[in-house]
Amino acid sequence: MTLNVTLNDGREMPLLGFGTWQIPDEEASGLVETAIGAGYRLIDTASIYRNENGVGAGIRAAGEGVWLTTKLWNDDQGTDRVRAAAERSLKRLGVEAVDLYLIHWPVSARDLYVETWQALIALGDAGLARSIGVSNFNEEHLDRLEAETGVIPAVNQIELHPAFQQRALCDYHARKGILTQSWSPLGQGSLLGDERLGRIAAKHGRTPAQIVIAWHLDQGFSVIPKSGNPERIRANYEALQVRLDDEDMAEIEAMDDPKGRIGPDPQVLS
Ligand code: A2P
């Protein structure tokens, strides 16, 4: 299984990362160290997760060579606010630059995401973010970024799991050279009792979580499963060893449900 992907800006990013949503700041450092010890080379956080201090400490303790992603929160959109918000994140993380900086949500109702994107482009030019991208954008949002700035995001991080596969948006990403990165890739754990996944897991001698992570990777998606448990953090990384066959892939593909969204709909979040 491929470990890295080349983004549309030419930089190489690990595909499998450790997600830290809902990990409290005081636990983040230890769990990030555990994740890096297990092999993860990408750590995903966000300003709104309120754990950038702990995540940064964990990364610094574990040494160089770990890809760090964080995200700009909605209140910090707009030309005047982006740079200061990014600098606050960098300070909490204890780094001079992040590998990837994402606009967390488009928040269409405020209509600031295009100028915010322009400000992220400037952050990239200033060296504060090595790559830039977005999260929870749909085709219409992405079209506007391209039309009005000429710069296509390297990544769109979206809710994606077997029960909510977003195929049209993923096809759009593929056409535009945007990497799809899956958040809540395990459906926040809710999918793991599904009997179809159980059958595939038994067939491979793996866990359902490993099967689902392998399904994301097999499609070339970056995937950032979260766990607060060291055993599961390590086991999830072992998904890189799993080889699914066409029958497995087809069976998981059939789990798609247009109403399977768990998180907010970017179309209505404001
Ligand atoms: P825990 O933190 O107790 O391990 P997602 O990444 O889709 O948001 O899913 C995260 C949820 O899935 C968390 O509740 C996490 O619980 C659970 N989870 C993560 N890995 C596993 C696993 N290998 N087996 C069972 N549950 C898991």
Side-chain angles (χ1 to χ4, degrees):
M1 183 62 64
T2 331
L3 284 175
N4 292 322
V5 61
T6 303
L7 301 176
N8 65 14
D9 60 10
R11 299 187 63 237
E12 238 184 87
M13 188 184 87
L15 278 179
L16 178 55
F18 179 58
T20 67
W21 181 50
Q22 292 181 326
I23 293 181
D25 201 27
E26 57 278 12
E27 288 171 34
S29 169
L31 291 171
V32 163
E33 275 192 73
T34 298
I36 295 170
Y40 294 81
R41 288 294 171 270
L42 185 159
I43 309 292
D44 180 274
T45 184
S47 162
I48 197 68
Y49 300 171
R50 308 263 182 257
N51 61 14
E52 287 176 312
N53 283 298
V55 166
I59 286 185
R60 289 195 309 279
E64 298 286 303
V66 177
W67 180 285
L68 175 58
T69 300
T70 195
K71 313 184 192 83
L72 177 88
W73 186 239
N74 302 344
D75 297 346
D76 291 318
Q77 286 202 24
T79 311
D80 302 343
R81 300 189 60 92
V82 171
R83 172 103 188 199
E87 285 175 349
R88 286 195 299 274
S89 275
L90 294 177
K91 191 161 175 229
R92 286 189 292 265
L93 290 162
V95 296
E96 284 175 9
V98 285
D99 293 289
L100 180 62
Y101 199 47
L102 305 177
I103 303 177
H104 207 144
W105 292 89
V107 203
S108 322
R110 289 177 68 211
D111 199 20
L112 291 172
Y113 64 86
V114 177
E115 67 171 69
T116 299
W117 180 241
Q118 203 76 61
L120 258 72
I121 296 167
L123 285 181
D125 292 341
L128 275 63
R130 298 185 187 101
S131 293
I132 53 173
V134 296
S135 184
N136 303 303
F137 277 46
N138 62 28
E139 291 182 33
E140 187 189 315
H141 305 129
L142 294 163
D143 277 341
R144 271 195 70 197
L145 297 189
E146 183 181 0
E148 296 180 40
T149 74
V151 180
I152 297 177
V155 171
N156 188 18
Q157 186 184 114
I158 57 173
E159 176 178 345
L160 202 160
H161 43 78
F164 191 60
Q165 301 188 19
Q166 305 230 52
R167 284 202 208 101
L169 184 53
C170 293
D171 288 347
Y172 174 96
H173 291 163
R175 287 198 303 278
K176 294 288 183 178
I178 299 169
L179 180 75
T180 301
Q181 189 169 50
S182 309
W183 66 253
S184 285
L186 307 173
Q188 295 175 19
S190 65
L191 299 170
L192 301 175
D194 184 280
E195 67 170 40
R196 289 160 289 189
L197 291 177
R199 263 201 315 273
I200 300 170
K203 173 174 136 187
H204 291 272
R206 297 288 181 172
T207 68
Q210 288 170 332
I211 298 300
V212 174
I213 295 165
W215 172 82
H216 290 273
L217 294 169
D218 198 84
Q219 295 169 91
F221 302 154
S222 175
V223 54
I224 47 168
K226 173 264 172 184
S227 176
N229 173 290
E231 289 304 311
R232 292 195 280 277
I233 290 173
R234 283 189 276 271
N236 290 349
Y237 191 77
E238 297 301 312
L240 285 170
Q241 315 304 325
V242 178
R243 296 284 171 280
L244 299 175
D245 59 35
D246 292 347
E247 201 184 317
D248 305 328
M249 293 301 286
E251 204 168 348
I252 302 173
E253 197 176 320
M255 290 174 67
D256 193 18
D257 175 359
K259 293 197 282 298
R261 191 192 287 281
I262 300 172
D265 184 345
Q267 207 69 38
V268 293
L269 178 98
S270 56

